[in-house]
Amino acid sequence: MAQHDLNIANQSFPNFRSDLNNALTALNSNHIGSSRPSSAIAGTIWIDSSVTDTYSIKVFDGTDDFAYRFDDSDFDFGTTTDFSIQMWFRNLKTSGDWGLMAKGKHGLLGWSIWFDDTTVPENPNMAMCIGNNENYYDLGTGWESGWQNLAVVLDRSVGITVYKNGVQTTSFSLSSSGTNLSTSYYLIIGGTQGSNSTSVVNDDFYGFMGQILIYTNKLLSADQVRQNFNCHRGIYGV
């Protein structure tokens, strides 16, 4: 816990220095604690750690706290929901696994997109996990350094279609069209789930991301994927 009332009283210099250091620690840690800091005023942002292994970002409006959490049911795709994801990214990592986004953990319910056993940034192997490890899909290599546009369209009746820079690269039939993709895990952008905790992030993405689009109950057509790509490609110099 690192909180302080941010009120430094007149005192001896050694005590003043200690008090000031405690205040700076509270600011540096975003007032993390199990309850709202006593110093809170309208606009204060603090981190609630009252739930084990869970951090919630909260904003105090002078009366109540509003939580910014990522377990949004809109991204719990259940057993029947179709969805589409399209995004820009630029990888700067040179070794190890790294995640793009996830709502769930490999081997558990949910879904995730990550790069598996990357050894060189010019040739990472992209993968997608749907439900559990039996539903593991290799999205291919060739996601070299520089800005890339990825689109994944999951149609329960057809399967998964993958696009790179506006062009379809591969497709898969689903192992099970009714796989449950709902989970209490947080939505993570820029990483994957790192443990059985719903809030721990692992395989952090190192690079840049932009124009992240997640569509629920919408299947992007090839033309729509291409339109989205062409709309922003000039920004990223592709």
Side-chain angles (χ1 to χ4, degrees):
M1 179 173 180
Q3 293 186 346
H4 192 279
D5 61 11
L6 301 184
N7 182 12
I8 300 177
N10 292 327
Q11 54 196 296
S12 66
F13 181 75
N15 289 338
F16 165 79
R17 184 174 61 183
S18 176
D19 204 11
L20 178 60
N21 284 336
N22 290 336
L24 292 174
T25 298
L27 293 171
N28 193 42
S29 65
N30 290 305
H31 307 282
I32 188 171
S34 59
S35 61
R36 182 196 315 137
S38 61
S39 61
I41 60 175
T44 295
I45 300 173
W46 65 284
I47 296 178
D48 184 352
S49 62
S50 59
V51 179
T52 302
D53 291 330
T54 299
Y55 289 161
S56 297
I57 301 173
K58 293 188 174 181
V59 178
F60 182 54
D61 71 352
T63 303
D64 298 305
D65 296 301
F66 293 87
Y68 287 78
R69 299 176 67 98
F70 302 95
D71 180 21
D72 192 325
S73 60
D74 287 343
F75 305 111
D76 286 334
F77 299 132
T79 58
T80 60
T81 302
D82 300 324
F83 65 93
S84 303
I85 297 172
Q86 189 164 4
M87 62 185 298
W88 287 89
F89 66 89
R90 180 186 176 194
N91 173 43
L92 298 178
K93 195 169 182 178
T94 58
S95 63
D97 296 347
W98 47 276
L100 281 179
M101 65 173 61
K103 193 175 192 301
K105 181 181 182 295
H106 309 332
L108 299 177
L109 297 180
W111 54 272
S112 57
I113 302 174
W114 81 103
F115 284 80
D116 191 15
D117 295 327
T118 306
T119 55
V120 289
E122 291 79 12
N123 197 33
N125 187 74
M126 185 182 286
M128 185 172 189
C129 191
I130 298 294
N132 56 51
N133 282 331
E134 294 179 358
N135 299 321
Y136 174 99
Y137 301 93
D138 183 349
L139 306 190
T141 59
W143 301 90
E144 64 273 6
S145 296
W147 282 102
Q148 304 293 326
N149 184 266
L150 164 71
V152 177
V153 179
L154 190 147
D155 183 338
R156 299 276 185 170
S157 63
V158 176
I160 299 172
T161 306
V162 182
Y163 300 84
K164 176 179 181 286
N165 293 334
V167 178
Q168 181 179 335
T169 57
T170 189
S171 61
F172 304 93
S173 298
L174 290 174
S175 300
S176 172
S177 62
T179 297
N180 188 356
L181 301 183
S182 292
T183 172
S184 61
Y185 283 69
Y186 289 179
L187 173 67
I188 297 174
I189 296 177
T192 56
Q193 208 70 54
S195 76
N196 288 329
S197 165
T198 58
S199 62
V200 175
V201 179
N202 194 24
D203 298 336
D204 294 343
F205 176 73
Y206 179 57
F208 303 95
M209 306 174 78
Q211 305 295 335
I212 301 170
L213 307 172
I214 304 177
Y215 302 87
T216 301
N217 275 323
K218 178 176 176 62
L219 298 172
L220 290 178
S221 67
D223 285 342
Q224 290 171 326
V225 169
R226 190 161 45 251
Q227 288 170 9
N228 284 343
F229 167 72
N230 287 330
C231 183
H232 299 112
R233 63 183 303 181
I235 299 174
Y236 302 103
V238 176

